[in-house]
Amino acid sequence: MERLLVICIAAAIGTGFYYWFSWMLKKDRMQDFVFSHQWLLHPNAICYWRTGMAMAGFFLYFATDYQSAAIIIFTFAAILDGVDGLVARGCNLVSRLGEWLDPLCDKLTYLPPLLGFAYTGIISVKLVWILVGIEIFGQFAARRLLTLMKTSGAANNFGKIKAIICFALVIFCALVDANPHIIHMGNQILLACVILSGASIVFKFIPNRLYADILSLLNFFCGLASLVLTYQGFFGRAVIIIIMGQLFDLFDGRMAEKHGGTKYGPYLDDIADFVSFGIAPAYMLLKIGQSWAWVFALIYITAVAFRLIRFLFVDKKRTDLPPGVFNGLPCPAGALLLLGAILLLPAPYVWPMVLLTTGLMVSTLRFAHLGRLILKQVPKPLFYTISAGIIVIIAFVLKTRNGELFGGVILGSVLIYMVIGRVCIQKVMSAQSTTRH
């Protein structure tokens, strides 16, 4: 696995450089250096440099035998995509040209190698050309329309996550190229890139204040789709759809904070949550076929309803709950806890998990909000990387169709959330205590 070692070394060097640069950029002398060497470190200049590096890496990989060097060069070029944003924000060098140039250079970085791997038979040629078509339309036609509408064409969260996944897909294809025996899920990841690329364009034409409501509607439709898949017996796919709904639920909160929303937004959000994280998991309990399943399904769905009503009409009005702290386990986490058990455990062992989940949801134990508390302490590049990682894991599950493994990953993720959440809550409570004194 020499290729894997090269990839790990390149990723370690690139990540180390990114965090070193972000730390140095907070110092005045580094900012002075940036301003005095704008030919090298202006955000737009970094875009040019990283595009040139990516082209060099493309040539080295597909036209020479120096493929390890090409991987290191490409990885560093991908890391520089985050560095130019650091400089733009940290040194107040944001520009209209940069808003247009940055996504263009992203495309020039990952599309050529994806085409190269497509024509070597590693990923679908058709899917790559669909992605190329969407990207070209988004870069030129859509941005022209947005300019005429006097609307910003800057990359949104969908576009940023898509770019990270595309960068990762290039590296994954290089790994598959040298190790064809490993599990190949390139086309599944590529399909996710196509969907995110289209979503990135569509959401740029939607008024900002409607973002949150639309994401809540998407969460609602994910719940309905999950019910259909559960009825057809596709439990694994139904769980994946619910997780997609959770991603929409996570983003709708962030969009509501950033852009505001309509007066119906909170109610729409709770209805979507009740369908996706209440009715859909409860219906899955019924379908596992045990005679007492309806009792546990009723207990679970009642707990979800109680949890949502308490949050909307009681907890939101409380002043003793710090921002980003929940009273009881959030419904999305409760749904994951139950769904992971359904996929991993035999039916008799699921029932105790139902009681545990419902008990945690209706309890007064404090849990952290993933978006408003935990992820706010996570740097944006790491947040986008985590989101991209979730999509890659979903692609892996689709490829392997290993329900038990998927269930174990889900339960492990919830456990990690709980542990990190407790640490974050303790920090918040300590800060409040210090402020009072």
Side-chain angles (χ1 to χ4, degrees):
M1 297 291 281
E2 177 185 347
R3 182 64 56 86
L4 179 60
L5 179 61
V6 170
I7 292 172
C8 291
I9 291 173
I13 293 173
T15 304
F17 172 80
Y18 175 86
Y19 283 104
W20 171 81
F21 192 89
S22 63
W23 173 69
M24 287 295 296
L25 197 60
K26 297 175 183 177
K27 302 179 181 297
D28 291 338
R29 67 176 184 272
M30 186 61 177
Q31 294 191 16
D32 292 339
F33 185 81
V34 169
F35 284 115
S36 61
H37 295 77
Q38 292 196 35
W39 63 272
L40 177 66
L41 291 173
H42 189 282
N44 296 347
I46 295 174
C47 286
Y48 298 135
W49 290 119
R50 65 185 175 92
T51 303
M53 291 173 64
M55 294 300 179
F58 175 81
F59 174 78
L60 288 173
Y61 191 93
F62 292 101
T64 73
D65 294 328
Y66 298 104
Q67 295 183 330
S68 294
I71 291 171
I72 293 173
I73 291 171
F74 177 83
T75 303
F76 201 78
I79 293 294
L80 287 179
D81 178 41
V83 172
D84 61 13
L86 285 176
V87 176
R89 293 184 295 272
C91 299
N92 195 26
L93 292 173
V94 178
S95 65
R96 295 286 294 182
L97 175 61
E99 286 187 358
W100 179 84
L101 185 63
D102 180 60
L104 175 63
C105 291
D106 287 350
K107 296 169 178 58
L108 293 175
T109 300
Y110 56 72
L111 287 179
L114 288 179
L115 283 168
F117 286 121
Y119 281 99
T120 55
I122 295 177
I123 51 179
S124 167
V125 174
K126 181 179 179 180
L127 279 177
V128 171
W129 276 113
I130 291 173
L131 178 63
V132 170
I134 295 173
E135 297 280 72
I136 291 174
F137 174 80
Q139 183 66 39
F140 296 102
R143 285 180 180 273
R144 178 59 179 167
L145 291 173
L146 289 168
T147 301
L148 294 174
M149 296 166 60
K150 297 182 179 181
T151 303
S152 173
N156 52 29
N157 287 342
F158 292 106
K160 292 172 182 176
I161 294 171
K162 176 260 304 177
I164 291 174
I165 296 177
C166 286
F167 291 140
L169 179 57
V170 171
I171 299 299
F172 178 76
C173 288
L175 180 63
V176 173
D177 191 23
N179 303 276
H181 60 280
I182 67 173
I183 296 175
H184 184 14
M185 52 182 182
N187 286 333
Q188 287 80 2
I189 298 174
L190 181 56
L191 179 60
C193 293
V194 171
I195 294 171
L196 287 170
S197 182
S200 173
I201 295 173
V202 170
F203 269 80
K204 288 176 182 177
F205 289 93
I206 296 173
N208 291 345
R209 65 184 182 86
L210 297 180
Y211 276 11
D213 290 359
I214 290 174
L215 290 171
S216 294
L217 278 174
L218 290 173
N219 178 19
F220 175 76
F221 289 129
C222 283
L224 295 181
S226 176
L227 289 170
V228 173
L229 289 170
T230 300
Y231 175 77
Q232 295 174 343
F234 299 116
F235 286 4
R237 295 180 186 179
V239 173
I240 289 172
I241 293 295
I242 291 174
I243 292 176
M244 289 176 61
Q246 294 194 346
L247 289 175
F248 292 132
D249 183 56
L250 175 64
F251 280 120
D252 70 8
R254 294 174 71 90
M255 292 300 102
E257 284 185 352
K258 185 175 181 180
H259 302 296
T262 66
K263 62 181 180 180
Y264 303 107
Y267 304 101
L268 181 60
D269 181 41
D270 280 347
I271 292 171
D273 287 353
F274 184 66
V275 173
S276 292
F277 314 136
I279 295 176
Y283 184 55
M284 199 173 294
L285 281 174
L286 291 175
K287 291 294 286 185
I288 61 178
Q290 298 293 321
S291 57
W292 287 95
W294 68 271
V295 176
F296 290 96
L298 182 61
I299 292 172
Y300 174 77
I301 203 168
T302 302
V304 171
F306 172 81
R307 174 69 181 75
L308 290 171
I309 292 170
R310 184 178 66 180
F311 173 74
L312 188 61
F313 295 103
V314 179
D315 292 345
K316 275 191 171 184
K317 300 176 183 178
R318 291 178 59 174
T319 57
D320 60 322
L321 282 175
V325 176
F326 280 132
N327 192 27
L329 183 69
C331 296
L336 283 181
L337 201 58
L338 180 58
L339 295 171
I342 290 174
L343 292 176
L344 180 64
L345 304 174
Y349 296 98
V350 173
W351 313 134
M353 189 62 75
V354 175
L355 299 178
L356 173 63
T357 302
T358 54
L360 290 173
M361 285 194 294
V362 302
S363 73
T364 56
L365 295 174
R366 303 293 173 85
F367 289 89
H369 190 293
L370 180 63
R372 293 188 178 91
L373 186 59
I374 296 177
L375 291 182
K376 274 195 173 181
Q377 302 182 35
V378 175
K380 276 191 175 181
L382 184 56
F383 166 73
Y384 296 130
T385 303
I386 292 171
S387 301
I390 292 172
I391 294 173
V392 171
I393 290 172
I394 290 174
F396 177 78
V397 171
L398 286 172
K399 182 66 178 180
T400 61
R401 300 182 181 180
N402 189 327
E404 291 80 8
L405 174 63
F406 191 25
V409 170
I410 291 173
L411 290 178
S413 301
V414 176
L415 181 61
I416 292 171
Y417 154 75
M418 290 181 176
V419 172
I420 296 176
R422 293 307 303 172
V423 173
C424 292
I425 290 174
Q426 288 174 0
K427 288 182 179 179
V428 171
M429 301 304 290
S430 298
Q432 280 194 343
S433 177
T434 303
T435 304
R436 288 171 184 170
H437 290 89

